[in-house]
Amino acid sequence: MVKIERTNGENAKIAVASLEKEKQKKNGNYNAPEIFDAINEIFHGKCYLCEQRGSYQVEHLIPHKGNKDLKFEWNNLFLACPHCNNIKRDKYTPILDCCKVDVDQKIAFRKHGYWGTEEYLEFTALSDDAETKMTVKLLEEIHHGSTPQKQAESKILYVKIVKAMRTFKNYVLEYEAAKGQTKLDTLELIKLELKSTSEFTAFKRWLIRDAKEKYPELQQYCQ
């Protein structure tokens, strides 16, 4: 979960206009194709909560509970996968708004252990505000599950994270060993992996942050 810039491009303007029209209807649709396409573009085709790519739904950051203003508010619409959306619902509120806050600077995202040892994901609140604490609780349920079905879904998500982190770690190791142009080329790969457009960016950034003494020159790309 990292900060996403909510751009005001042409597709966004079309979506906002569509939302205003849908709001006036008796059974308006906040998930119309032009709205979904604009949301999908802004969130780089990934769930704003778990950062995986796959199937998506338009979800409300603040549960609308029938309130039309919240239901059709452009800044309240986010892209979420079914797994995260079904867990969050209106149970977890308020949470951090990743379009306004650098979430990965308020929460530490860590994967501990390696093959042959106990492996687990840990989310640590770095501030004491209610939104941060609630977001941590939500992330813990998303990644650990609270029912057999959700635990199975969390396991699938975990495997995706592990694979992505292995690839990223290999880039870092190659960067450490390389010289000259090869080192520069590998650095470009690392920079791409640390951008908000990448999957599971928060975990990758914290891997680098936790190794700041070893890779001080890479810290600037974790912002």
Side-chain angles (χ1 to χ4, degrees), residues 211-223:
K212 59 184 177 182
E213 292 184 3
K214 191 171 187 179
Y215 306 111
E217 75 281 12
L218 297 181
Q219 301 306 308
Q220 60 184 306
Y221 306 117
C222 294
Q223 305 304 318

Side-chain angles (χ1 to χ4, degrees), residues 149-168:
Q149 178 181 339
K150 289 303 176 186
Q151 287 169 359
E153 293 174 2
S154 296
K155 182 64 176 179
I156 293 171
L157 173 59
Y158 175 76
V159 170
K160 291 181 179 179
I161 293 172
V162 168
K163 289 181 178 179
M165 292 300 288
R166 283 175 182 166
T167 298
F168 181 65

Side-chain angles (χ1 to χ4, degrees), residues 52-102:
Q52 71 172 320
R53 293 192 172 94
S55 59
Y56 316 103
Q57 302 168 342
V58 174
E59 99 93 9
H60 296 84
L61 180 74
I62 303 173
H64 63 81
K65 298 182 179 181
N67 182 313
K68 270 201 165 186
D69 289 333
L70 284 175
K71 186 175 182 179
F72 294 95
E73 168 56 47
W74 168 248
N75 292 316
N76 196 35
L77 299 182
F78 288 66
L79 192 70
C81 69
H83 171 69
C84 291
N85 196 12
N86 289 337
I87 288 174
K88 176 182 173 286
R89 294 186 178 275
D90 59 359
K91 176 182 175 182
Y92 289 99
T93 187
I95 64 169
L96 296 171
D97 184 341
C98 68
C99 290
K100 298 178 179 178
V101 178
D102 289 299

Side-chain angles (χ1 to χ4, degrees), residues 9 11 43 58-59 62 72 102 113 126 136 152 188 193 207 210 218:
N11 286 341
F43 286 91
V58 174
E59 99 93 9
I62 303 173
F72 294 95
D102 289 299
L126 303 178
V136 167
E188 291 304 312
E193 293 287 327
L207 180 72
D210 284 337
L218 297 181

Side-chain angles (χ1 to χ4, degrees), residues 3 7 47 56 71 87 94 101 105 110 115 126 132 149 153 155 177 186 203 205 208 210 219:
K3 188 173 184 181
T7 55
C47 174
Y56 316 103
K71 186 175 182 179
I87 288 174
V101 178
Q105 293 185 11
R110 294 186 173 101
W115 186 83
L126 303 178
T132 299
Q149 178 181 339
E153 293 174 2
K155 182 64 176 179
T186 308
F203 286 102
R205 288 179 178 176
I208 297 300
D210 284 337
Q219 301 306 308

Side-chain angles (χ1 to χ4, degrees), residues 4 13 16 18 30 35-37 55 77 85 93 104 120-121 129 139 156 158 161 165-166 170 176 215:
I4 300 293
K13 293 176 182 177
V16 171
S18 178
Y30 62 81
I35 299 170
F36 176 85
D37 289 345
S55 59
L77 299 182
N85 196 12
T93 187
D104 65 302
Y120 62 97
L121 304 178
D129 59 277
L139 289 169
I156 293 171
Y158 175 76
I161 293 172
M165 292 300 288
R166 283 175 182 166
N170 284 336
E176 183 179 355
Y215 306 111

Side-chain angles (χ1 to χ4, degrees), residues 14-31:
I14 293 172
V16 171
S18 178
L19 281 168
E20 285 300 315
K21 292 179 181 179
E22 293 295 326
K23 183 178 179 180
Q24 306 308 315
K25 298 178 182 179
K26 182 178 180 180
N27 296 305
N29 181 16
Y30 62 81
N31 197 20

